[in-house]
Amino acid sequence: MKRLLTAAVTVPLALVAVFRLPSPWFFVLVTLLIGAAVVEFVRLARRAAPRVPVAVLPWVVPVAALAASPGVLGWHPQALGWDPMIAMAALVPLGFGALALFSRAPLAEAVSGLGLLSFGLPYFAVPIASLCHLQRSDPWLLLLLLAIVWLGDSAAYYLGTRFGRHKLAPVVSPNKSWQGAAAGLAASVLAAVAWGWWRLGAPSASLVLLAAVTAVAAQIGDLVESMIKRAAGVKDSGTLFPGHGGALDRLDALLFAAPVWHLGLRLLRWLEAGP
């Protein structure tokens, strides 16, 4: 019941944000929501690397997301003669390497911390940029992404609970089943089919295929977050959403699905444009 009540509140708010918020305010909202997940991730990461300053992530993730989203806030760094992605690729390893080095943590902990920092930055910053690009370019395609992720997650949970017999990843997430995963994939594909009839007059085979790939990415994202929690010895990342756990629990699938969906759409546009 708590899951349904939480969805009844969050879904209308998400629709308002997708279709009504100006791009700068949408960026701020998404950064705050994913920022809550970053804080939870840091709390989990500290169990593996308590002496490495992984708490820097909530500060650098918004900066990296902004650098990956030129134009969202009305700024264009290319006009200054530099590419923000190249700058990040050059500076982030240096910055994180220096943090791990000068934290004076034990070697094993320093290496673990370096891995957590290097994984955590793109894990959170790239989805922020992808969601903002989608909202700015076509909110209806962002709505479809949310439907793919949320309907797939709901179908996997409810049908997996009812009919699940064969465990999908028992070591990482004992409650997930192959039956639930199949139900989630089917729900995501049906969402793309319904969206195609509604917006295009007929389903788009390429969008349906991309929806299936995105749904698989979403399920992998869910399992990866479960793996992180399992390693940290916790059941939920937090308590922000009643019945859903923390922000990271609620957004885990979207963190993997959003970049895949965004990249896939850009690839489809490139293929349709031709040489």
Side-chain angles (χ1 to χ4, degrees), residues 147-245:
I148 290 168
V149 174
W150 291 348
L151 292 177
D153 179 70
S154 296
Y157 175 79
Y158 288 109
L159 295 178
T161 301
R162 177 68 177 84
F163 300 106
R165 296 292 183 271
H166 301 88
K167 301 300 182 182
L168 176 62
V171 175
V172 171
S173 185
N175 293 327
K176 290 183 174 60
S177 66
W178 282 103
Q179 289 79 6
L185 178 60
S188 297
V189 169
L190 288 175
V193 171
W195 188 94
W197 282 111
W198 180 31
R199 295 294 299 169
L200 306 176
S204 165
S206 57
L207 273 183
V208 170
L209 177 60
L210 179 57
V213 174
T214 302
V216 172
Q219 296 193 26
I220 293 174
D222 194 337
L223 290 172
V224 166
E225 195 253 355
S226 295
M227 179 178 65
I228 294 170
K229 290 188 299 183
R230 179 72 60 177
V234 300
K235 181 179 183 296
D236 294 323
S237 65
T239 58
L240 183 62
F241 296 99
H244 290 277

Side-chain angles (χ1 to χ4, degrees), residues 128-152:
I128 294 174
S130 297
L131 292 169
C132 291
H133 278 293
L134 287 166
Q135 194 257 357
R136 190 164 176 248
S137 60
D138 192 337
W140 289 103
L141 287 172
L142 176 53
L143 175 63
L144 177 53
L145 169 64
L146 297 179
I148 290 168
V149 174
W150 291 348
L151 292 177

